[in-house]
Amino acid sequence: MKPPRRLSDFPYVRVRIACTNCPRKGSYRLARLAASYGPEMELDLLLERLSLDCHVRRAVADSPARYGDFRCGAHFFDLAGSPRPPDLPASTMRLRVVKGGR
Ligand SMILES: [Zn+2]
């Protein structure tokens, strides 16, 4: 699977972000993000925006020499490692719930 580059390519309904170097975690609705940043927003840029308040990122920006190669490790949780399969379209999921409830 080719990694998505833009928000409109993102395969999941929820956009989850995790950081390897700080306890920061986030979960955003794809529709919300698309509404505020536009569907053509590049994912790299989006990640940067969403992790602006990371302590590590700030500390590194304040004194880069002190931290060397240490960086905020923010990444899209569901795109890292072995990605899970894309979400089913919302309409399909709703149908399934109705069926199972009977
Ligand atoms: Zn971080």
Side-chain angles (χ1 to χ4, degrees), residues 19 21-22 24 54 56-57 72-74:
C19 182
N21 293 333
C22 73
R24 199 169 190 289
C54 169
V56 178
R57 184 178 287 272
C72 171

Side-chain angles (χ1 to χ4, degrees), residues 4-96:
R5 281 198 56 230
R6 293 175 187 281
L7 203 50
S8 55
D9 301 329
F10 203 82
Y12 310 114
V13 171
R14 290 210 78 90
V15 177
R16 292 193 290 171
I17 286 174
C19 182
T20 45
N21 293 333
C22 73
R24 199 169 190 289
K25 269 200 184 105
S27 177
Y28 307 83
R29 290 190 67 89
L30 182 63
R32 271 278 179 91
L33 291 174
S36 14
Y37 296 101
E40 295 308 309
M41 179 72 169
E42 285 190 32
L43 290 175
D44 288 349
L45 252 152
L46 180 71
L47 192 61
E48 218 179 286
R49 292 276 188 90
L50 294 177
S51 58
L52 274 182
D53 57 337
C54 169
H55 311 300
V56 178
R57 184 178 287 272
R58 283 199 177 164
V60 170
D62 285 347
S63 46
R66 191 169 147 199
Y67 289 94
D69 286 338
F70 191 69
R71 289 281 177 282
C72 171
H75 60 279
F76 292 106
F77 187 75
D78 295 304
L79 301 181
S82 52
R84 63 193 170 109
D87 290 339
L88 293 166
S91 56
T92 317
M93 289 210 279
R94 217 169 289 135
L95 273 177
R96 283 199 166 180

